[in-house]
Amino acid sequence: MRLSVWKLITFIVVLSITSFACSIFSSPETVSTPTLAIQPTLSPVPEEPSFVQNQEVNYINQQDTLISIYEQANPGVVSIRVLSQEGGGLGSGFVIDKEGHIITNYHVVRGADDLEIAFSNGYKTRGQVLGTDSDSDIAVIKVDLPSDQLNPLPLGDSNQIKVGQIVVAIGNPLGYDGTMTTGVISSLGRTLESLHEAPGGNFFTAGDIIQTDAAINPGNSGGPLLNLNGDVIGVNFAIQSNSIDLSGNPINSGIGFAVSINIVKRVVPELIETGSYDYPYMGISSLPEVTIYTQEVLGLPQTSGVYVLEVTAGSPADEAGIKAGESP
């Protein structure tokens, strides 16, 4: 009997302790059930700016780029006033080093008796022609100025340019010095008749020419054509025009040409050192192109290639045995 009572007492004590423990761990007054907040794993998609806003931002960025190019390049661009027996003329040029070498076109300085070089800060000095190349229409002028007064323009790589690139021309069109115009590269690898007369009476051909629709007018000759990095990629030298103004000057038609800067970089060191540059040549005259009509009349197998019209006596082509064909 005594043992049973003791077991009962033990059971009551254990039950009391268990009840007390349950009240501690499960009482709503002392324990709050934590809640799990579900968070999204993706950030909200930002609202896209409208097409108009994008266009405005692009315009502002391009505008800032053009302003920066002009501010950096214009101090290195010069106006060239030419005095000669035939009268005078105006052209453009640009500084390429701290030694005072300036690039311009051969036709700008051809026959010049005196040259006046004007800088954008208003300073003027005389210039001396060191060398000319009638094939590429390039000339080098030397001025004697302290190096801190000269602002050379960086020369780019015309092999890297593409049709559609935005370009900038800076020069002295019609006497308005420091004029900037913009456009795009319209085509590459054009060929035009050079100023170098061949032995047969024709003229040699100048190649690797850049075509652009940036406005180029008389006086722009010799000025730089730049890309949006501010590098010179060409030297402006000619326009195609069928109209003239009241003064007899050709009017820009949106077809302008520049000598590629890689040709310039090849020629200029020789002009500085020796005053001239010698090109290899073949000594042939050819049709500008072979049309289907020409192919049919002459019985040619294809329209691609060069059809030789004339071979200069004693030329490399003559020595190689090349023969001229019949005229169509």
Side-chain angles (χ1 to χ4, degrees):
M1 179 68 178
R2 181 179 301 174
L3 181 59
S4 299
V5 170
W6 180 251
K7 287 183 178 181
L8 179 61
I9 293 172
T10 302
F11 175 77
I12 293 173
V13 170
V14 172
L15 181 61
S16 298
I17 292 173
T18 304
S19 300
F20 178 72
C22 289
S23 67
I24 290 177
F25 291 103
S26 64
S27 172
E29 296 179 358
T30 58
V31 178
S32 59
T33 303
T35 58
L36 178 62
I38 300 176
Q39 300 294 333
T41 58
L42 297 177
S43 300
V45 178
E47 183 179 349
E48 288 288 340
S50 68
F51 176 77
V52 175
Q53 289 174 321
N54 282 330
Q55 290 291 90
E56 184 176 351
V57 169
N58 291 337
Y59 173 79
I60 293 174
N61 290 339
Q62 181 175 317
Q63 175 180 267
D64 292 342
T65 298
L66 294 175
I67 291 172
S68 177
I69 290 172
Y70 183 81
E71 292 176 346
Q72 293 178 30
N74 192 51
V77 180
V78 301
S79 297
I80 302 173
R81 184 178 296 275
V82 180
L83 299 178
S84 66
Q85 296 295 329
E86 290 74 26
L90 294 171
S92 305
F94 58 95
V95 180
I96 60 168
D97 57 34
K98 289 288 187 177
E99 284 70 49
H101 294 115
I102 293 172
I103 291 176
T104 188
N105 286 140
Y106 163 64
H107 76 260
V108 170
V109 301
R110 180 172 51 180
D113 297 320
D114 197 5
L115 296 176
E116 179 184 278
I117 313 300
F119 292 79
S120 62
N121 60 6
Y123 185 83
K124 296 179 181 179
T125 187
R126 279 189 162 86
Q128 174 190 359
V129 177
L130 289 186
T132 61
D133 177 30
S134 58
D135 285 290
S136 63
D137 198 5
I138 293 297
V140 178
I141 299 171
K142 179 73 165 58
V143 295
D144 293 321
L145 285 178
S147 60
D148 60 357
Q149 297 295 312
L150 298 168
N151 296 278
L153 300 189
L155 306 184
D157 182 358
S158 52
N159 287 339
Q160 302 302 316
I161 62 179
K162 296 182 179 181
V163 173
Q165 278 187 239
I166 298 174
V167 289
V168 171
I170 302 178
N172 182 35
L174 304 176
Y176 295 102
D177 59 294
T179 295
M180 173 181 176
T181 55
T182 63
V184 298
I185 295 174
S186 304
S187 188
L188 297 169
R190 295 295 194 199
T191 57
L192 293 176
E193 192 176 82
S194 75
L195 298 173
H196 185 184
E197 187 173 354
N202 296 319
F203 287 85
F204 287 103
T205 300
D208 198 20
I209 291 173
I210 301 167
Q211 180 183 333
T212 178
D213 68 348
I216 296 174
N217 289 286
N220 271 115
S221 292
L225 186 70
L226 306 109
N227 61 21
L228 291 186
N229 293 326
D231 300 324
V232 181
I233 58 170
V235 181
N236 303 314
F237 81 105
I239 60 174
Q240 178 76 43
S241 178
N242 296 321
S243 304
I244 59 173
D245 60 20
L246 295 177
S247 301
N249 294 313
I251 298 173
N252 176 267
S253 61
I255 301 178
F257 301 100
V259 182
S260 72
I261 201 62
N262 284 8
I263 291 291
V264 176
K265 289 193 293 186
R266 188 173 71 186
V267 169
V268 164
E270 287 293 319
L271 297 185
I272 293 174
E273 185 175 348
T274 68
S276 62
Y277 185 87
D278 291 327
Y279 289 85
Y281 81 104
M282 293 182 64
I284 63 172
S285 297
S286 62
L287 286 175
E289 66 173 321
V290 178
T291 64
I292 293 178
Y293 172 78
T294 305
Q295 179 190 15
E296 293 173 347
V297 169
L298 297 175
L300 301 177
Q302 59 195 45
T303 57
S304 59
V306 175
Y307 186 80
V308 178
L309 290 175
E310 182 181 346
V311 177
T312 303
S315 67
D318 186 28
E319 294 177 0
I322 296 177
K323 303 297 181 180
E326 299 179 359
S327 297

